[in-house]
Amino acid sequence: VSDGTFSITTPIYYLNGTPHIGHAYTTIAADAAARWHRLRGREVRFLTGTDEHGQKVLEAAQKRGLSPKEHCDDLVVVWKAMMERFRIDYDRFIRTTDADHEALVQSALQQLYDRGEIYRDEYRGWYLIKDEVFVTDKEREERIATGELFESDFRMFEETNWFFRMSKYQQQLLDTLASRPDLVLPDNRRNEVLGFLSKPLGDLCISRPKSRMGWGIELPFDRDYVCYVWFDALLNYLTGNNRSLDGGPATPFWPATYQLLGKDILTTHAVYWTTMLMALGVELPQHLFAHGWWVSGDGQKMSKSRGNVIDVNLLADGFGVDATRVFLLREIKFGADGQFTYKGFLERYNADLANDLGNLAHRALSMSERWLGGAVPERQAPDPTLQALARKTWEAYTPALEALQFKEALEAVFDWVRAGNKFVDTAAPWALNKAGDTAKLASVMRDTLEMCAMAAALLLPIMPDKAGELLGKLGASPDSVKDWLARWSRGEDLVNVLLPSTKLTVGDPLFPRLHELPPAIAALFEAEPASAPAPKTQEKPVSETEIPLPELPWIEYDDFSKVQLRIGRVLEAQAHPNADKLVVMKVDLGEARPRTICAGIKAVFAPETLVGRTVVVVANLKPRMLRGVPSEGMILAAGGEVVTDLVSAQAKPGDTVR
Ligand code: MSP
């Protein structure tokens, strides 16, 4: 890309479900960067979209009884709506089912085939459906042993397939990583890639036989196969940026300036993608930036089966779109992991937005209205201390934002806002007004209004609506910001951009203070007592001295509330292959797939008598291997030394027990 161009991409999102906070996060980050560069007057390309082929999407469609294309056409609407709601201003939304993309993928495959970069071979291996990747036997065993994955997450495939000679590019990739230390960012991710490349790199299986999985782009040189979903998906970055492989017109948008991705898809980008580009003779992107993961407040990975996924629409309903955008980018360093809690969001909202920014804007506008006729006042010159601070803020903010360090950039803005409130406190315009010192009052109020203007300008890429609203109140507009930024970057005019005599509007506060969690969010905790921060029973604690306590290893209510008990129904039961006392059951917990649970009850229950029974299961007991069989939960049983019965209840699978 030339100097005046900025090209950014997000991963394309699997259409096997609806968007959550993690997807919104990558997209908002890319949007904020794109908006910033547009404001700086650069030609911007911002590409996002959806990943629609492969096993995972096919299975999601089958579950709904739809053809994969019908399923995708239906679901893509939800993704586009999320992006519209979050003010994602992309230049292209690519779908891997778009005709131009399918043509590009076929052209890439044909070129590689013609050059002998693709060959046919037998293949046998474990496929991890969730990630759409093959894994080694060792990796599979390890990930089951740690309880991260279950046996049912893998499929064994044994078939003839087509392979891309990825191994051929291992040294070239190592050399490139050495000569371009900022290709993979941040550094810890680059080291991870180097670690991966310290072992011999294999070739990449890039086909799927249609007889097994036909939802994909057909290989142009073998009609019995479709293209592997990752090989197809990664090429979207070329299609979506108009980078032709057939000698078409040149594009200013490739190589991309930044390609954003989550740390979970580092290898597919830093290794598969880069070597694919090398084989195709196409330039590598300038930077691959891997950001971290949002995890839930208890440190757990968010997933549908855990029921701890944060719904971004709920955040937008409760706190607003702009507050959500700011929170996600402000709360964790771009690159690092972070925990999401609603309470943390509420505190951040009140501190930064309601108190600091909202307050500064309100003070500046309402005092000018009351004492100075509600127009931008004239003044001799800006306060020099403020101008120096403004320069410092600009110098902290700009490089941070350009390096995608949103947290640092936002910290610089909120420091500036806090300095604004301090400036008002110290200058005490109310005293100046009382003393009738109109000249000094006008000067102080103008400086304060200018501080709001600079804050609004710097926040515009991050919170386009609220910053736009603030600019409007100051008699300016998002269009003015382009001009201001150009002047500021030339070193001119800090704290001096508003037009004297322009009308000001006080209006409603930008961010009303929230005294408690928004009702729809608070309701979540009532529906899910296990995760309630402060259970009702604790509101009026019974004094411990009033109850004579027998000696027991007492636990707190919070300890108990960590245990998730759920109703299950036994679907299948059989003797454990390697343990005399154990029965292995498949138990329906109302989840996407039944759990495998081992229980030491064979002495009392013949396995076949268990089928159809309703049981109570400890649903969040960490899974473990029991003599080679995974056990993903525990069944509650009653009795003394010997179990006499299983605990049961009249309820349906998935219901909670509390
Ligand atoms: N389809 C592939 C990407 C193909 S790109 C050629 C894919 N899709 S995804 O929908 O599963 O994930 C897309 C992005 O969302 C990834 O960058 C992933 O890291 C991000 N996130 C999903 N959950 C996340 C969190 N909980 N936190 C932060 N981002 C995470 O992978």
Side-chain angles (χ1 to χ4, degrees), residues 380-398:
Q380 292 252 296
D383 179 304
T385 329
L386 277 188
Q387 267 196 321
L389 189 62
R391 179 57 52 199
K392 220 180 110 205
T393 304
W394 171 260
E395 277 161 11
Y397 176 93
T398 313

Side-chain angles (χ1 to χ4, degrees), residues 10-16 20-23 25-26 51 56 79 230 233-237 260-265 269 291-295 301-302:
T10 73
I12 48 173
Y13 304 103
Y14 283 129
L15 282 189
N16 68 328
H20 68 66
I21 189 177
H23 310 122
Y25 181 52
T26 323
D51 191 352
K56 195 156 145 159
W79 285 79
W230 267 104
L234 288 161
L235 287 166
N236 94 81
Y237 300 133
L260 304 191
L261 42 131
K263 64 176 187 177
D264 52 315
I265 52 176
H269 282 81
H291 65 69
W293 271 60
W294 281 97
V295 295
K301 192 168 159 181
M302 286 180 201

